[in-house]
Amino acid sequence: MQFQILIIFCIAVFFNALANILIKTSALQEQGSLPKEGLIALVLGLLNPYFIAGLASFGLALLGYKHVLGKGLKLSLAYPVFTSSGFIIVLIASAIFFKERLNFTQWLGIGFILVGVWLTALQMFDVKS
């Protein structure tokens, strides 16, 4: 049972990070082609396929997260691991897909977060069967 919860948890983290990447992609697409202000800009922005896919990804992440919490995953441990893991994925994906540069301090921060996630996750999966 713990392995299944771990897999669903990881999928939820992935979809949460993917949602952020898709929404950033939709925002970049809109920079040159849409009106900058007004109701039309808002509506066209909401109809952007990347934005819709980002919302769907957030929804899938939320459903997976809800599922694992319902299986007994401790919220006090799951939330920090969920957000920290997503943070690391988004940071690295931003460097790869959006060519955002990561400096030494950010890499050091990623290292500290990884250690914190690892230490937290050691007790996270003490769930009921």
Side-chain angles (χ1 to χ4, degrees):
M1 184 62 128
Q2 287 183 350
F3 184 71
Q4 182 183 17
I5 292 170
L6 175 63
I7 295 298
I8 294 170
F9 184 79
C10 289
I11 291 169
V13 169
F14 168 78
F15 275 112
N16 183 52
L18 179 63
N20 284 283
I21 294 162
L22 289 168
I23 289 174
K24 170 73 174 187
T25 301
S26 76
L28 290 175
Q29 269 193 339
E30 295 170 5
Q31 284 182 342
S33 61
L34 296 178
K36 301 285 186 218
E37 298 177 4
L39 185 59
I40 293 173
L42 178 64
V43 171
L44 291 175
L46 293 174
L47 296 175
N48 182 303
Y50 287 105
F51 182 77
I52 293 168
L55 288 178
S57 293
F58 272 132
L60 290 171
L62 182 63
L63 288 174
Y65 188 57
K66 177 187 175 287
H67 177 76
V68 297
L69 290 175
K71 294 294 183 186
L73 201 59
K74 297 175 184 179
L75 178 62
S76 61
L77 299 173
Y79 181 72
V81 173
F82 186 81
T83 55
S84 300
S85 301
F87 178 79
I88 292 169
I89 293 168
V90 168
L91 208 82
I92 293 171
S94 295
I96 293 169
F97 296 114
F98 304 120
K99 307 298 183 225
E100 295 178 8
R101 296 190 63 177
L102 300 178
N103 60 34
F104 174 75
T105 307
Q106 289 170 306
W107 283 111
L108 188 61
I110 289 172
F112 284 130
I113 291 170
L114 285 172
V115 169
V117 167
W118 178 72
L119 290 172
T120 302
L122 288 175
Q123 297 181 8
M124 190 172 79
F125 294 101
D126 180 25
V127 299
K128 61 186 174 189
S129 296

